[in-house]
């Protein structure tokens, strides 16, 4: 589904990713972990196509297409979704209208007819029940005055509405208490199936107690220096990132 | 209280806004010219021209005297220079002050209107055909200087409502005109109002009798067509005690390289318990992306809440014109009267807008509310200028003002000039102002959800302007939303 080879990227002339290799198949959950500044968020943003980042080398294929050639909205159309670390506020823009526009723009990209008001509402009610989200939240302006937890729930609700093939969760746990993490994780787990994949970007292991990964990758200095099973995450939690820093010279990948 | 000035100039933050940049040509789809023969006054302005116009309109002597008085006063006045706008001196001798499409004057019914003219309005999406109007909006269409037809007249007449061209009102309802014309905006009020009074050629007149709730939206559609002409229309709306009317005004002009002058005067009179809701969507030709051409829009709009519990509400969406100079105001004379001003002003390319309102609190327990949303893009300059005045006797006056500015790109300017004069201690006056930029991160967020940049910008600005748009009549609101998006097309990305 997603295959990244020797990806180098940076921002404003500063190199951040120094050769990433990653293979994600349908049905899999991958976790990208690493200390601050290791390039986790850069990887998420580069995959989503944020213009500030420049790719200097390497390839990224998504669903058989050259991901790096596509505009951000086309990547979304192809089924790539980024749950933002800091979802932006857009005052006055009704959340439901925003989601409806997004759903129909993506349908248009795929050559499908737009959903009419009735069909959209039906889909929305269905996903609201699944995600346990209240309409009162969606009736407000997009993310405006939302608490941290509400913003992240709104991200996962949008994910449910857009049904992406690949969802990238960028530090979705940051700033959330344990109850909020549980709610958000439950939402993500309900959306998992054989066809889609999830890339969880996180600093801490605790999110992975709820969204259990098939693979864990450790990012350090812009490279994946260690890959393993979910046990690797626990090891990192116990020993901290320092042991990775010591090992980097000896071990590249496992 | 002292007036305060908060000029805000946009600054590039260096990183984020790199793609919010160059302004690309945005299509002005109303820029066509209709090939109609016109009956014109000689170029320039003189007493003869004023007499010519009055004679053309077959006006009574008192009207001519009124015009001449205005003209003579105008000669003694100076063009105001205090607004935050820059333009070359206007040569009033280079303007044609009267231009009428050559057709049978006074069509008895709409079938007699020149088909070319009708086609013009059809192209603009305005049908004068009553049968075709399903929406129930009565339209008065004014091209260049002359009203060419008013629809739904007879139905309105049954309720005693008068809705006709100003020329017709002067002939048919002289008493009303004499009583109210220039009662809100005096002949001597300002340079452009005096000019308008001397040379105005038509406009709409509307009278709602006591206790009548006008069952449909009344609407005037203004169009400048002929070359080198100015448009000077005059609108007068009188709402008798306990009546209600909602009035809409729309305007477009062809694309021309030279500037065109538009100096209108609108007067509203609301008597006891009456309510007037006046909505404008102003889309005069704004000039091209280099700032060539475009309409100079110098407009005086003022309403008076003459009776107790009267209410006047101005809503405007200003997207056109090279220069907008306009301050729809309310004189709150009656006790418990209410004035409202809701405005969205969009400037792009080299457009300049200096617009706002005046709320004059004279009566007791009067209330006013001001919501102004300025959107600037390209190299444009957008200023809010507003005065809240509470006089000595205006006990318990209340005002709330909110002025928000949104900047697209780093070469445009947004300014706020709120003036507050309070002469009564019981007044409560609140003012809030914000300035923000459309952020790269907002656009990227939308992009990531599959929404292309143009659509994203439209969503963001419509969100920004929503509070004002909500006050427009439904049918107009949808048009206005589209217009906002079109005006800013190509200004981002």
């Amino acid at each position: 589904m997603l295959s990244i080879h020797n990806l180098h990227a940076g921002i404003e002339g500063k190199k951040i990713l120094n050769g990433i290799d990653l293979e994600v198949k349908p049905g899999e959950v991958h976790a990208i972990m690493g200390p601050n500044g290791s390039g986790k968020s850069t990887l998420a943003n580069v995959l989503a196509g944020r213009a500030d980042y420049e790719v200097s080398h390497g390839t990224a294929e998504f669903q058989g297409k050259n991901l790096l050639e596509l505009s951000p909205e086309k990547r979304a159309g192809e089924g790539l979704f980024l749950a933002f670390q800091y979802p932006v506020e857009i005052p006055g823009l009704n959340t439901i209208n925003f989601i409806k526009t997004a759903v129909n723009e993506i349908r248009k990209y795929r050559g499908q007819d737009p959903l009419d008001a009735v069909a959209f509402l039906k889909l929305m009610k269905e996903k609201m029940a699944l995600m346990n989200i209240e309409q009162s939240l969606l009736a407000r302006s997009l993310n405006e005055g939302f608490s941290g937890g509400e913003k992240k729930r709104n991200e996962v609700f949008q994910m449910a509405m857009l049904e992406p093939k690949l969802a990238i969760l960028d530090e979705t746990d940051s700033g959330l208490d344990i109850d909020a993490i549980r709610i958000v994780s439950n939402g993500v787990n309900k959306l998992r199936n054989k066809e889609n994949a999830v890339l969880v970007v996180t600093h801490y292991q605790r999110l992975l107690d709820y969204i259990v990964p098939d693979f864990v990758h450790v990012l350090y200095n812009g490279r994946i220096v260690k890959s393993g099973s979910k046990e690797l995450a626990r090891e990192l939690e116990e020993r901290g990132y320092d042991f990775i820093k010591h090992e980097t010279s000896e071990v590249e990948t496992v | 209280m002292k007036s305060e000035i908060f000029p805000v100039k946009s600054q590039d933050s260096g990183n984020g806004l790199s793609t919010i940049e160059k302004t690309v040509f945005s299509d002005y789809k109303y820029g066509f010219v209709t090939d109609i023969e016109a009956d014109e006054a000689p170029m320039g302005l003189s007493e003869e021209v004023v007499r010519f116009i009055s004679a053309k309109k077959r006006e009574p002597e008192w009207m001519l005297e009124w015009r001449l008085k205005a003209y003579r006063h105008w000669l003694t006045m100076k063009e105001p220079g205090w607004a935050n706008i820059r333009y070359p001196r206007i040569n009033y001798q280079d303007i044609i002050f009267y231009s009428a499409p050559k057709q049978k004057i006074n069509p008895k019914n709409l079938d007699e209107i020149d088909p070319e003219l009708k086609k013009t309005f059809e192209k603009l999406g305005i049908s004068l055909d009553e049968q075709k109007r399903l929406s129930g909006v009565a339209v008065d269409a004014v091209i260049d200087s002359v009203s060419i037809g008013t629809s739904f007249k007879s139905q309105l007449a049954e309720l005693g409502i008068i809705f006709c061209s100003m020329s017709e009102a002067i002939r048919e309802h002289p008493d009303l005109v004499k009583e109210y014309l220039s009662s809100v905006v005096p002949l001597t009020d300002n340079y452009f109002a005096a000019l308008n009074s001397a040379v105005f050629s038509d406009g709409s007149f509307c009278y709602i009798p006591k206790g009548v709730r006008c069952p449909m939206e009344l609407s005037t559609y203004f169009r400048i067509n002929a070359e080198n002409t100015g448009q000077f229309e005059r609108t007068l709306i009188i709402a008798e005690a306990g009546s209600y009317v909602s009035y809409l005004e729309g305007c477009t002009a062809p694309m021309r390289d030279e500037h065109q002058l538009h100096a209108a005067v609108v007067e509203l009179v609301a008597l006891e318990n009456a309510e007037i809701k006046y909505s404008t969507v102003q889309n005069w030709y704004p000039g091209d992306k280099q700032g060539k051409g475009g309409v100079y829009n110098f407009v005086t709009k003022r309403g008076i809440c003459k009776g107790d519990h009267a209410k006047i509400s101005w809503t405007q969406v200003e997207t056109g014109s090279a220069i907008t100079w306009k301050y729809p105001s309310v004189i709150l004379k009656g006790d418990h009267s209410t004035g409202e001003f809701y405005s969205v002003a969009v400037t792009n390319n080299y457009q300049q807008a200096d617009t706002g309102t005046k709320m004059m609190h004279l009566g007791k327990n009067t209330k006013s509310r001001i919501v102004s949303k300025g959107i600037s893009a390209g190299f444009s300059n957008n200023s809010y200028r507003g005065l809240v005045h509470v006089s000595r006797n205006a006990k318990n006056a209340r005002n709330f003002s909110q002025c928000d500015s949104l900047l697209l790109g780093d070469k445009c300017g947004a300014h706020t000039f709120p003036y507050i004069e309070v002469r009564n201690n019981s007044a409560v006056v609140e003012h809030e102002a914000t300035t923000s930029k459309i952020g790269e991160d907002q656009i990227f967020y939308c992009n990531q959800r599959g929404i292309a940049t143009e659509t994203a910008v439209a969503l963001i600005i419509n969100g920004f302007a929503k509070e004002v748009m909500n006050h427009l009549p439904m049918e107009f609101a949808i048009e206005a939303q589209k217009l906002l998006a079109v005006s800013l097309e190509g200004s981002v990305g």
Side-chain angles (χ1 to χ4, degrees):
Chain A
M1 171 181 283
L2 175 69
S3 92
I4 303 172
H5 291 293
N6 196 25
L7 187 70
H8 292 252
I11 186 165
E12 287 169 356
K14 191 182 156 209
K15 287 198 76 179
I16 300 174
L17 300 181
N18 298 304
I20 300 277
D21 290 284
L22 185 66
E23 200 74 42
V24 179
K25 293 194 176 69
E28 293 177 348
V29 175
H30 289 246
I32 305 277
M33 299 185 71
N36 289 332
S38 59
K40 300 188 300 288
S41 278
T42 298
L43 178 61
N45 280 298
V46 165
L47 292 177
R50 196 188 269 268
D52 311 350
Y53 294 90
E54 279 166 32
V55 174
S56 52
H57 201 77
T59 58
E61 245 183 43
F62 179 59
Q63 302 275 98
K65 288 194 176 151
N66 181 353
L67 187 68
L68 304 176
E69 274 183 352
L70 299 175
S71 66
E73 60 270 26
K74 284 184 177 157
R75 296 181 197 200
E78 291 292 333
L80 188 144
F81 179 91
L82 173 66
F84 284 74
Q85 182 177 5
Y86 304 109
V88 298
E89 302 188 359
I90 303 184
L93 174 57
N94 176 278
T95 306
I96 295 172
N97 279 345
F98 171 74
I99 297 175
K100 190 175 177 207
T101 307
V103 166
N104 282 333
E105 288 292 309
I106 286 177
R107 289 180 68 87
K108 192 161 92 188
Y109 179 82
R110 294 175 183 166
Q112 298 163 318
D113 287 334
L115 291 184
D116 61 27
V118 177
F120 176 80
L121 210 66
K122 189 167 166 270
L123 178 71
M124 197 179 84
K125 294 274 181 203
E126 203 178 283
K127 301 293 184 183
M128 275 167 57
L130 187 69
M131 293 291 114
N132 220 345
I133 198 161
E134 325 77 64
Q135 188 149 2
S136 58
L137 191 69
L138 302 176
R140 288 161 56 183
S141 293
L142 185 63
N143 291 323
E144 195 185 26
F146 283 27
S147 70
E150 285 170 337
K151 282 183 182 169
K152 298 298 169 78
R153 277 166 64 206
N154 187 19
E155 291 294 289
V156 178
F157 177 70
Q158 290 177 45
M159 177 179 156
M161 290 296 290
L162 298 175
E163 298 178 326
K165 298 200 180 75
L166 174 68
I168 304 167
L169 310 181
D170 187 8
E171 310 245 1
T172 295
D173 51 335
S174 70
L176 298 192
D177 61 27
I178 205 74
D179 290 331
I181 288 180
R182 198 176 305 144
I183 293 168
V184 167
S185 307
N186 281 342
V188 174
N189 286 331
K190 282 181 192 166
L191 299 173
R192 288 178 58 178
N193 61 39
K194 290 260 175 293
E195 311 295 316
N196 61 26
V198 184
L199 196 60
V200 185
V201 174
T202 181
H203 186 89
Y204 299 105
Q205 188 267 339
R206 56 178 188 175
L207 179 63
L208 305 179
D209 285 342
Y210 300 97
I211 305 172
V212 181
D214 301 303
F215 301 95
V216 173
H217 311 277
V218 181
L219 200 59
Y220 181 62
N221 277 342
R223 305 179 74 171
I224 291 175
V225 294
K226 205 173 171 72
S227 295
S229 67
K230 63 182 178 187
E231 303 310 323
L232 177 58
R234 213 167 287 282
E235 197 180 343
L236 283 171
E237 183 77 358
E238 279 161 23
R239 299 174 62 183
Y241 284 107
D242 279 348
F243 95 96
I244 292 292
K245 293 175 188 170
H246 293 307
E247 275 184 16
T248 36
S249 49
E250 301 138 38
V251 187
E252 286 290 324
T253 45
V254 176
Chain B
M1 215 182 273
K2 233 186 95 195
S3 65
E4 293 165 275
I5 296 172
F6 306 111
V8 183
K9 195 80 184 156
S10 71
Q11 296 272 310
D12 193 6
S13 57
N15 49 8
L17 291 168
S18 53
T19 70
I20 299 181
E21 253 291 297
K22 260 175 265 155
T23 306
V24 186
F25 184 73
S26 73
D27 282 333
Y28 183 77
K29 63 173 180 173
Y30 309 103
F32 60 87
V33 179
T34 311
D35 193 13
I36 320 165
E37 258 193 280
D39 188 3
E40 290 178 345
M43 201 176 255
L45 186 53
S46 63
E47 207 165 298
E48 282 62 52
V49 169
V50 175
R51 287 178 189 280
F52 173 91
I53 294 169
S54 191
K56 272 279 167 202
K57 315 246 51 149
R58 293 178 290 133
E59 283 175 355
E61 188 61 26
W62 61 266
M63 197 60 215
L64 174 63
E65 284 311 314
W66 189 88
R67 286 178 182 277
L68 289 172
K69 201 172 140 197
Y71 174 67
R72 286 170 197 142
H73 189 82
W74 179 73
L75 289 175
T76 68
M77 296 174 97
K78 262 209 175 122
E79 207 170 307
W82 44 261
N84 187 25
I85 49 179
R86 304 275 170 279
Y87 59 97
R89 197 162 256 294
I90 299 170
N91 186 345
Y92 293 88
Q93 300 311 328
D94 278 352
I95 295 171
I96 295 167
F97 285 85
Y98 177 84
S99 171
K102 248 189 203 155
Q103 66 149 359
K104 226 168 99 185
I105 298 189
N106 277 327
K108 290 250 165 22
N109 62 55
L110 296 168
D111 295 335
E112 288 176 28
I113 291 171
D114 185 339
E116 272 297 310
L117 278 177
K118 260 194 179 171
K119 254 190 255 166
T120 299
F121 281 93
E122 306 265 325
K123 254 199 237 178
L124 296 168
I126 299 146
S127 171
L128 297 173
D129 249 325
E130 283 171 351
Q131 290 80 0
K132 280 195 210 153
R133 285 308 292 198
L134 299 170
S135 50
V137 179
V139 180
D140 184 22
V142 176
I143 194 154
D144 288 340
S145 307
V146 174
S147 167
I148 63 160
T150 310
S151 60
F152 284 109
K153 232 171 173 173
S154 50
Q155 270 146 286
L156 293 168
E158 279 169 32
L159 294 163
I161 295 170
I162 304 167
F163 181 42
C164 63
S165 71
M166 186 56 93
S167 318
E168 193 180 325
I170 291 168
R171 289 192 301 266
E172 310 287 331
H173 310 284
D175 293 344
L176 285 172
V177 174
K178 269 189 205 166
E179 183 175 353
Y180 291 108
L181 192 68
S182 75
S183 72
V184 191
V185 178
L187 291 179
T188 54
D189 189 78
N190 69 69
Y191 188 80
F192 295 106
L195 177 66
N196 172 284
S197 303
V199 302
F200 84 82
S201 30
D202 220 331
S204 295
F205 175 84
C206 168
Y207 174 83
I208 316 291
K210 203 169 166 181
V212 171
R213 208 183 150 82
C214 185
M216 59 180 84
E217 310 275 354
L218 300 185
S219 165
T220 302
Y221 203 89
F222 296 104
R223 169 101 183 146
I224 299 177
N225 189 58
E227 216 169 336
N228 294 322
T229 47
Q231 175 143 325
F232 307 92
E233 82 269 1
R234 186 99 192 182
T235 301
L236 175 59
I237 299 176
I238 303 148
E240 287 279 12
S243 68
Y244 167 84
V245 63
S246 169
Y247 188 90
L248 318 174
E249 173 197 63
C251 7
T252 56
M255 284 151 79
R256 294 195 184 280
D257 285 348
E258 77 276 10
H259 294 288
Q260 288 167 298
L261 178 64
H262 173 248
V265 173
V266 176
E267 295 175 279
L268 311 181
V269 181
L271 297 167
E272 199 181 335
N273 279 310
E275 181 177 348
I276 301 174
K277 194 171 151 52
Y278 195 104
S279 312
T280 304
V281 173
Q282 185 265 107
N283 189 25
W284 296 117
Y285 178 52
D288 69 8
K289 63 173 178 173
Q290 272 83 37
K292 198 172 181 195
V295 172
Y296 288 165
N297 191 30
F298 293 92
V299 170
T300 307
K301 290 184 168 177
R302 194 175 302 154
I304 182 165
C305 288
K306 223 171 169 180
D308 295 351
H309 299 279
K311 181 176 175 183
I312 288 177
S313 180
W314 297 101
T315 305
Q316 61 173 23
V317 176
E318 303 280 317
T319 60
S321 297
I323 289 177
T324 297
W325 180 98
K326 184 180 166 187
Y327 315 90
S329 305
V330 184
I331 301 167
L332 296 154
K333 187 165 176 249
D335 293 345
H336 304 278
S337 59
T338 306
E340 292 175 341
F341 174 74
Y342 300 100
S343 168
V344 176
V346 179
T347 51
N348 197 0
N349 301 321
Y350 286 91
Q351 281 178 275
Q352 306 176 68
D354 191 302
T355 182
T357 184
K358 279 194 277 186
M359 291 293 174
M360 312 295 288
H361 292 259
L362 308 180
K364 295 180 183 66
N365 301 308
T366 46
K367 278 189 295 198
S368 64
R369 185 178 173 82
I370 297 168
V371 178
S372 163
K373 306 271 180 177
I375 302 168
S376 344
F379 299 88
S380 69
N381 225 337
N382 201 325
S383 304
Y384 166 81
R385 186 184 304 278
L387 168 66
V388 176
H389 173 90
V390 178
S391 73
R392 205 174 303 281
N393 299 323
K395 237 181 167 171
N396 297 324
R398 297 218 48 166
N399 161 266
F400 174 77
S401 304
Q402 175 152 1
C403 305
D404 298 326
S405 307
L406 186 67
L407 301 166
L408 283 80
D410 54 11
K411 292 174 185 70
C412 51
H415 314 265
T416 306
F417 305 100
Y419 304 90
I420 299 169
E421 300 169 358
V422 178
R423 306 254 151 80
N424 186 304
N425 285 336
S426 61
V428 181
V429 176
E430 292 171 79
H431 180 91
E432 285 178 15
T434 66
T435 302
S436 52
K437 283 174 123 178
I438 287 195
E440 200 75 356
D441 49 349
Q442 286 176 323
I443 291 171
F444 180 65
Y445 189 87
C446 295
N447 290 159
Q448 210 301 306
R449 299 300 186 250
I451 301 167
T453 300
E454 290 284 333
T455 312
V457 171
L459 286 177
I460 295 166
I461 58 167
N462 278 312
F464 174 76
K466 193 173 86 181
E467 210 182 329
V468 172
M469 296 301 210
N470 283 347
H471 290 275
L472 286 175
M474 192 58 177
E475 192 202 7
F476 235 36
I478 295 160
E479 280 301 304
Q481 270 191 15
K482 282 189 213 150
L483 191 57
L484 280 193
V486 169
S487 307
L488 291 166
E489 221 159 66
S491 60
V492 173

